[in-house]
């Protein structure tokens, strides 16, 4: 499911923001001209990553300054995915994030 999360041009280079898509809190950011989207909770203590900042292409957690690769969802220097990442694209009418549909019970 694709959700429009921001209007066109709302996310500038180095910008980080919390948004919502299909009931999920998502952190979106722009670094080195690329967009990234990942869950908006640090796996360490749940701090909202949308309150963090970008430093040298990494997303920095606002609580304890853990650094994450925003495209892989891993801690800097690790290959283990700690945070779910999502497809993101900029369209003419805004910024869109895709999240999997949550299965419903029969």
């Amino acid at each position: 499911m694709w959700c429009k999360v921001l209007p066109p041009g709302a996310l500038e280079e180095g910008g980080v923001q919390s948004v919502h898509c299909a009931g999920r809190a998502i952190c979106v950011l722009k670094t080195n001209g690329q967009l990234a989207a990942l869950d908006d909770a640090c796996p360490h203590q749940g701090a909202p990553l949308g309150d963090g900042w970008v430093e040298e292409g990494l997303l920095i957690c606002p609580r304890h300054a853990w650094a994450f690769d925003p495209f892989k969802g891993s801690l800097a220097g690790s290959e283990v995915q700690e945070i779910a990442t999502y497809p993101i694209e900029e369209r003419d009418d805004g910024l869109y994030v895709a999240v999997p549909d949550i299965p419903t019970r029969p």
Side-chain angles (χ1 to χ4, degrees):
M1 154 182 268
W2 285 93
C3 302
K4 181 178 176 181
V5 295
L6 291 172
L11 195 61
E12 297 179 5
E13 181 64 32
V16 180
Q17 192 167 336
S18 295
V19 297
H20 286 86
C21 177
R24 298 173 198 246
I26 307 286
C27 172
V28 295
L29 62 100
K30 188 172 189 176
T31 181
N32 299 319
Q34 294 183 292
L35 296 166
L38 57 164
D39 277 337
D40 191 28
C42 178
H44 177 218
Q45 290 187 343
L49 294 172
D51 290 345
W53 63 93
V54 173
E55 190 173 295
E56 297 180 11
L58 299 173
L59 174 60
I60 309 299
C61 174
R63 188 164 296 157
H64 293 110
W66 284 25
F68 295 95
D69 179 319
F71 304 102
K72 296 179 183 177
S74 60
L75 280 167
S78 172
E79 293 299 317
V80 177
Q81 185 175 23
E82 301 281 343
I83 306 169
T85 59
Y86 303 99
I88 184 170
E89 55 184 55
E90 193 158 11
R91 301 179 187 171
D92 290 340
D93 66 335
L95 194 66
Y96 285 77
V97 173
V99 297
D101 290 332
I102 297 171
T104 57
R105 299 179 123 201

